[in-house]
Amino acid sequence: MAAEQGGNVDEAIIRQVEEIQKEIADSQHLVGALQDILSLGNVYQHDDTVFQNKIKDLSKKYSHIRTTRADGNCFFRAFGFSYLEYLLQDRVEYER
């Protein structure tokens, strides 16, 4: 009897995790569209001068950002997507 109840709890947990993952997938893109880097200023409080200054510094080197789904694979997805975009612009590297 205890094993049956444990199985039901396990199944309920698995269903809940799947529902959460589906909700995240429905609400967040794997890789977002290009956005102006200064749009990061809207994410942080305007009176947070440390972050606002860091965003201004980043904007001197980078013009745009893309968001990625924060699901534990975001770094690899961002790196891979960025590299593929780079290859589309650099034919020599693409051929290599």
Side-chain angles (χ1 to χ4, degrees):
M1 185 72 139
E4 289 178 22
Q5 289 176 344
N8 291 339
V9 171
D10 290 344
E11 290 172 13
I13 291 170
I14 291 169
R15 277 194 308 276
Q16 184 178 22
V17 168
E18 289 171 348
E19 288 173 14
I20 291 169
Q21 290 173 338
K22 184 180 180 336
E23 183 179 321
I24 291 170
D26 290 345
S27 66
Q28 297 177 1
H29 295 288
L30 286 174
V31 177
L34 276 178
Q35 299 175 25
D36 187 287
I37 195 160
L38 294 176
S39 68
L40 279 175
N42 299 329
V43 175
Y44 299 98
Q45 294 178 7
H46 292 286
D47 61 348
D48 189 340
T49 56
V50 172
F51 277 104
Q52 295 299 329
N53 288 333
K54 287 181 181 191
I55 293 166
K56 287 177 188 171
D57 287 342
L58 284 171
S59 72
K60 293 175 186 173
K61 186 172 180 181
Y62 304 101
S63 61
H64 293 84
I65 61 166
R66 288 186 190 274
T67 57
T68 59
R69 184 181 303 160
D71 61 1
N73 294 312
C74 49
F75 170 78
F76 301 104
R77 185 179 305 110
F79 179 82
F81 194 90
S82 178
Y83 187 61
L84 289 173
E85 279 189 317
Y86 170 74
L87 291 176
L88 291 173
Q89 303 301 318
D90 188 333
R91 187 70 180 178
V92 174
E93 182 68 12
Y94 174 81
E95 292 293 329
R96 185 177 70 82

